[in-house]
Amino acid sequence: MKDALAIHRWLLAHQVHHEIVRLPRPMTCAEELPETISAAPERCLMVTVLEVTTWVGREVVIGVTSPVSSPPGPGAVGGLLGARQVRPASAHVVNATTDYACGLVCPLLLPESLPMFIDDRLLADNEPLFTATGERHTALSMRSLDLLAVLPGKMVDLRGSRRRGPRAAVARRH
């Protein structure tokens, strides 16, 4: 499993300023980060791993990096990808796919084979963002612009906006 030391070494190798923060108490998932470190939920990130079923029946595992304040809805992800079904991945799938502990996935050092999407609601400024490190007792703190520069994935709109215009029911032909 990947941990804070692996992340620290990778960031040092890429000359990215960061801080590994020792938490006052252990956390079980990234959603606990805001209250654990007394930070705003929009300044804390989480990685959600989802299993997606395409319309041709193919199963794909994807990751979505988003603020803890607005986790990605399966409907928004399904609409974005044009998928038939989107569901949270099991703990076993998360652990095997990301090499991080389920619930504590860091958005860095993920396999290149894992398609990643980044919620465009992430704040791009000079203030710090916080994310899990795969360990219960540490978090990663980085300037937002630095983190966004090294995050893998495609920036997407996950607000789940619907198409504009009237909706009409159409009867099936018999």
Side-chain angles (χ1 to χ4, degrees):
M1 288 286 182
K2 293 183 184 127
D3 59 5
L5 183 58
I7 296 165
H8 174 68
R9 287 179 176 158
W10 186 84
L11 290 168
L12 284 176
H14 288 84
Q15 299 179 353
V16 178
H17 183 71
H18 65 283
E19 181 181 356
I20 301 295
V21 179
R22 189 90 172 133
L23 301 176
R25 64 178 189 272
M27 62 179 183
T28 58
C29 61
E31 289 91 341
E32 297 173 7
L33 203 50
E35 58 191 52
T36 304
I37 60 171
S38 299
E42 55 273 0
R43 306 278 345 156
C44 299
L45 306 184
M46 62 188 281
V47 175
T48 305
V49 180
L50 302 163
E51 292 181 296
V52 177
T53 305
T54 65
W55 283 105
V56 294
R58 198 170 132 227
E59 295 280 329
V60 180
V61 177
I62 67 163
V64 180
T65 302
S66 65
V68 169
S69 60
S70 47
V77 174
L80 173 74
L81 300 176
R84 182 173 47 157
Q85 184 181 25
V86 177
R87 63 192 172 284
S90 68
H92 172 72
V93 170
V94 173
N95 295 345
T97 303
T98 66
D99 203 25
Y100 283 105
C102 182
L104 299 171
V105 178
C106 179
L108 301 174
L109 297 180
L110 293 168
E112 288 183 24
S113 61
L114 179 67
M116 286 298 298
F117 299 93
I118 304 165
D119 192 328
D120 68 356
R121 290 176 279 192
L122 292 184
L123 302 170
D125 55 25
N126 286 317
E127 297 301 312
L129 288 176
F130 302 90
T131 187
T133 62
E135 298 176 353
R136 296 170 42 119
H137 296 279
T138 60
L140 172 66
S141 173
M142 286 179 64
R143 197 172 68 115
S144 175
L145 290 172
D146 291 339
L147 183 59
L148 289 172
V150 296
L151 272 182
K154 178 181 178 183
M155 193 73 76
V156 294
D157 178 5
L158 291 174
R159 289 173 186 82
S161 59
R162 292 187 169 174
R163 294 182 189 156
R164 306 269 183 217
R167 290 181 148 193
V170 178
R172 285 181 31 196
R173 291 186 178 195
H174 296 282

